[in-house]
Amino acid sequence: MHFRFERCGDQLRVRIDDAGGDEQGVFDRIVSCRGTSWWSCPTGECAKIGNCDTLRDGDATVLALTPRPGESLSAAGVEECLRYVLAEAPAASAGKTPTR
């Protein structure tokens, strides 16, 4: 999976390409993660996110992340968080323990 980051003011936009034909699955996992506050990755970067707008752009998923007041978002931290969420979600939902 490929992530492309773009700053727009204090907002960080993340374009997720190359989802291996599972664009809807990526979109669903991110929306589900945000809806259940599952952003518990080791970076803690997700705790800095105040708002996350998720949308589709053709075959890509785009996240528009706005930090909480007084915070700023690290592209490297957000990327690690996304890799954690997207890699572990399928294994967790299948009842398997993810490996690192």
Side-chain angles (χ1 to χ4, degrees), residues 28-48:
D28 291 345
R29 287 192 303 269
I30 291 168
V31 170
S32 174
C33 173
R34 290 292 295 165
T36 59
S37 299
W38 182 46
W39 287 66
S40 61
C41 73
T43 71
E45 195 69 23
C46 48
K48 298 177 183 178

Side-chain angles (χ1 to χ4, degrees), residues 19-97:
D22 189 26
E23 290 81 12
Q24 187 63 46
V26 168
F27 180 81
D28 291 345
R29 287 192 303 269
I30 291 168
V31 170
S32 174
C33 173
R34 290 292 295 165
T36 59
S37 299
W38 182 46
W39 287 66
S40 61
C41 73
T43 71
E45 195 69 23
C46 48
K48 298 177 183 178
I49 298 170
N51 189 37
C52 174
D53 294 318
T54 309
L55 56 119
R56 297 283 304 273
D57 181 15
D59 287 341
T61 299
V62 179
L63 306 177
L65 307 174
T66 304
R68 293 181 187 277
E71 299 282 0
S72 63
L73 297 172
S74 158
V78 169
E79 181 175 2
E80 185 176 342
C81 189
L82 286 169
R83 290 196 184 281
Y84 175 83
V85 168
L86 295 174
E88 289 199 0
S93 66
K96 298 178 183 174
T97 304

